[in-house]
Amino acid sequence: MAMIALKCPDIEVVVVDIAVARINAWNSDRLPIFEPGLDEVVKACRGRNLFFSADVEKHVAAADIVFVSVNTPTKTRGLGAGKAADLTYWESAARMIADVSKSDKIVVEKSTVPVKTAEAIEKILTHNNKGINFQILSNPEFLAEGTAIEDLAKPDRVLIGGRETPEGRKAVEALKAVYAHWVPEENIITMNLWSAEISKLAANAILAQRISSINAMSALCEATGADVAEVAYAVGKDSRIGPKFLNASVGFGGSCFQKDILNLVYICECNGLTEVANYWKQVVQINDYQKSRFVKRVVSSMFNTVSGKKIAVLGFAFKKDTGDTRETAAIDVCHGLLGDNAKISVYDPQVTADQIMRDLAMNKFDWDHPQHLQPMSPTATKQVDVVWDAYEATKGAHGVCILTEWDEFKKLDYKRIYDGMQKPAFIFDGRNVINVDELRKIGFVVYSVGKPLDPWVKDLPAAPPS
């Protein structure tokens, strides 16, 4: 919305939320999320044609176009638990739009939603419409955190899906006119509603599949002495494949990949496509396997126990240049280490101690609900300590796990870190950010995902019985 305000000075944009504290943060000097370049965009428009308000109904009633960007969490109970999307927040938003509207509106799905959500939303709006016309459009978002501003300023494509009726086409054209202020016409693709909804799930599933594919190869590389970075480089040189999303790591995270694939699996199952569902399920299973494989490497390297040992965790966000921790691999790795009674010291340049503690105490899938509705599980986090400096985190540690590829981790003084650690000193690089040879020269025992194994690690079982 901030980018639309910046690029369309003649359009008034109001962002509304029932969470007053969040709206206050958007109106303050300290925005509630960290995203490079966002501060400048918001400050350029706020108070001019971009407003943040908790008076939801007033602004929805006044709008011509309403973008709905509410959460669509994975269901935790009932039909489709663990896979299907929970549309509670979407439904209540639709009912509120129907209640307060006094003029025709275009309602745009911005959240990632299961296919055919538009149909459900249409039913709610048309059955409560009091003679008002609503057109539903699907306009899925393809920005990536960390590069969101650039992705919005120069998108690969903007997808707009609508009904194939005269009113539907008119609504599509109205939204297209907004994006046409800055996006070249050939990059604005219009299609039917269901194609737009599926395109978003398909894009995320195929990106996640590439990561799972290279991560599956990383296990084979370790077993055979190959280097996954060399393999990925060679494979990425094929113009049909390309180099993106071929970085082996401890596993993918973020708010969309797992959620969208599970959703896709559920939709396939509901349509009787068991084989298709199983195919996509495997992408998530390889991701889980990669995280547990990493934890097993840590434990088996350190004499098969980390009980009572201090392990430094460098990086908690799911990737660099964001403070977002949703579905981050760090959560599962920390849980695995805590399960063996490790003492963990975490450092991340953007994630607060409060957030880290909350993430480690939360049940799976609860992160996608508003904060006041997140039930806490009673996990003890006494063994976790969050510090504001990498050297503090590693002081006296037996091992270091690098779980986010922050640039600063490439520049740390590893000699200083080595001197302050217990010996033998172990480094487990889950993001392939460090120079393995240099660290081995310093004296570290190094494990780096998909790289030839340290002689120390080589003779240990790859996967001790769980």
Side-chain angles (χ1 to χ4, degrees):
M1 293 302 109
M3 185 57 79
I4 288 177
L6 182 72
K7 301 291 190 180
C8 312
D10 53 323
I11 296 176
E12 182 178 308
V13 179
V14 187
V15 177
V16 295
D17 199 306
I18 53 174
V20 178
R22 182 174 293 178
I23 290 296
N24 290 344
W26 281 110
N27 280 318
S28 73
D29 287 335
R30 195 181 167 85
L31 302 185
I33 58 171
F34 169 72
E35 181 64 46
L38 179 64
D39 266 32
E40 294 76 10
V41 176
V42 170
K43 282 169 187 162
C45 311
R46 195 170 55 192
R48 188 191 72 198
N49 67 328
L50 173 65
F51 304 93
F52 297 91
S53 168
D55 193 344
V56 179
E57 297 185 359
K58 173 184 147 190
H59 293 291
V60 168
D64 299 304
I65 302 180
V66 181
F67 286 85
V68 183
S69 311
V70 295
N71 294 21
T72 48
T74 304
K75 284 180 78 168
T76 50
R77 53 171 66 94
L79 203 61
K83 285 185 287 218
D86 179 345
L87 296 181
T88 311
Y89 306 119
W90 237 115
E91 187 177 330
S92 60
R95 288 182 186 280
M96 179 272 296
I97 293 168
D99 282 348
V100 305
S101 294
K102 295 180 181 64
S103 57
D104 294 355
K105 301 209 183 314
I106 296 171
V107 178
V108 183
E109 292 178 337
K110 208 65 186 139
S111 322
T112 299
V113 291
V115 187
K116 298 286 183 167
T117 301
E119 204 158 58
I121 304 310
E122 260 177 358
K123 284 178 182 149
I124 292 167
L125 292 171
T126 49
H127 284 279
N128 296 283
N129 67 357
K130 302 173 295 219
I132 292 159
N133 288 316
F134 293 102
Q135 282 300 321
I136 317 291
L137 300 180
S138 171
N139 175 218
E141 192 46 73
F142 293 101
L143 61 84
E145 289 172 69
T147 55
I149 298 298
E150 180 66 12
D151 296 343
L152 288 167
K154 297 188 183 118
D156 286 346
R157 76 299 204 192
V158 171
L159 292 194
I160 304 173
R163 283 287 194 194
E164 321 236 78
T165 59
E167 301 79 19
R169 288 194 195 97
K170 202 169 141 203
V172 166
E173 287 305 315
L175 183 56
K176 189 174 172 182
V178 173
Y179 285 108
H181 280 73
W182 80 97
V183 180
E185 182 127 2
E186 63 271 18
N187 290 1
I188 304 175
I189 306 169
T190 59
M191 53 181 66
N192 82 37
L193 216 39
W194 321 132
S195 299
E197 288 181 342
I198 282 193
S199 296
K200 172 63 177 176
L201 291 182
N204 277 352
I206 288 168
L207 288 172
Q209 179 198 46
R210 282 175 69 102
I211 300 173
S212 281
S213 297
I214 200 69
N215 282 345
M217 290 297 169
S218 75
L220 182 61
C221 288
E222 287 168 30
T224 55
D227 182 332
V228 75
E230 293 175 351
V231 173
Y233 181 73
V235 168
K237 275 294 186 195
D238 185 323
S239 59
R240 295 164 303 174
I241 298 172
K244 291 182 176 171
F245 275 72
L246 289 178
N247 294 324
S249 72
V250 62
F252 60 71
S255 62
C256 281
F257 280 179
Q258 175 165 298
K259 188 174 85 168
D260 287 359
I261 297 166
L262 292 173
N263 199 338
L264 189 60
V265 167
Y266 183 67
I267 295 164
C268 292
E269 286 174 350
C270 290
N271 284 290
L273 305 172
T274 314
E275 291 78 4
V276 182
N278 290 342
Y279 176 78
W280 289 110
K281 217 182 276 181
Q282 196 59 36
V283 172
V284 175
Q285 284 166 353
I286 284 284
N287 196 47
D288 290 338
Y289 163 75
Q290 188 75 345
K291 291 182 281 195
S292 69
R293 204 169 74 75
F294 185 85
V295 172
K296 283 175 176 169
R297 280 284 186 211
V298 174
V299 177
S300 68
S301 304
M302 298 173 75
F303 316 105
N304 233 2
T305 178
V306 288
S307 182
K309 292 175 182 172
K310 177 178 173 179
I311 308 281
V313 167
L314 298 185
F316 200 85
F318 85 91
K319 67 175 182 182
K320 72 173 187 177
D321 292 337
T322 178
D324 196 345
T325 59
R326 294 178 290 179
E327 293 289 349
T328 175
I331 295 174
D332 288 337
V333 171
C334 288
H335 279 317
L337 296 171
L338 290 168
D340 202 48
N341 275 330
K343 291 190 165 70
I344 294 179
S345 186
V346 186
Y347 164 66
D348 186 286
Q350 281 298 334
V351 185
T352 64
D354 189 39
Q355 184 64 48
I356 290 169
M357 292 306 196
R358 206 165 44 234
D359 286 332
L360 291 176
M362 201 180 293
N363 292 316
K364 202 161 178 56
F365 301 129
D366 281 345
W367 55 267
D368 209 4
H369 292 273
Q371 218 166 312
H372 63 284
L373 295 177
Q374 291 171 0
M376 298 301 275
S377 61
T379 323
T381 41
K382 292 183 193 67
Q383 297 152 283
V384 179
D385 166 37
V386 180
V387 295
W388 281 103
D389 167 55
Y391 300 106
E392 181 61 32
T394 55
K395 196 163 59 189
H398 289 258
V400 175
C401 295
I402 302 174
L403 300 182
T404 312
E405 70 282 19
W406 287 104
D407 291 339
E408 66 181 76
F409 298 157
K410 295 176 186 167
K411 303 180 194 121
L412 292 171
D413 180 346
Y414 282 99
K415 177 76 176 84
R416 176 181 164 191
I417 287 174
Y418 179 79
D419 292 342
M421 284 174 66
Q422 306 273 355
K423 306 298 180 296
F426 296 88
I427 282 208
F428 303 93
D429 182 2
R431 296 284 171 188
N432 288 346
V433 296
I434 55 171
N435 182 318
V436 175
D437 296 336
E438 277 177 23
L439 265 70
R440 285 187 182 140
K441 275 188 204 128
I442 292 171
F444 284 105
V445 177
V446 184
Y447 165 72
S448 197
V449 172
K451 301 276 188 175
L453 295 176
D454 200 293
W456 177 290
V457 179
K458 217 181 201 141
D459 307 327
L460 298 162
S466 42

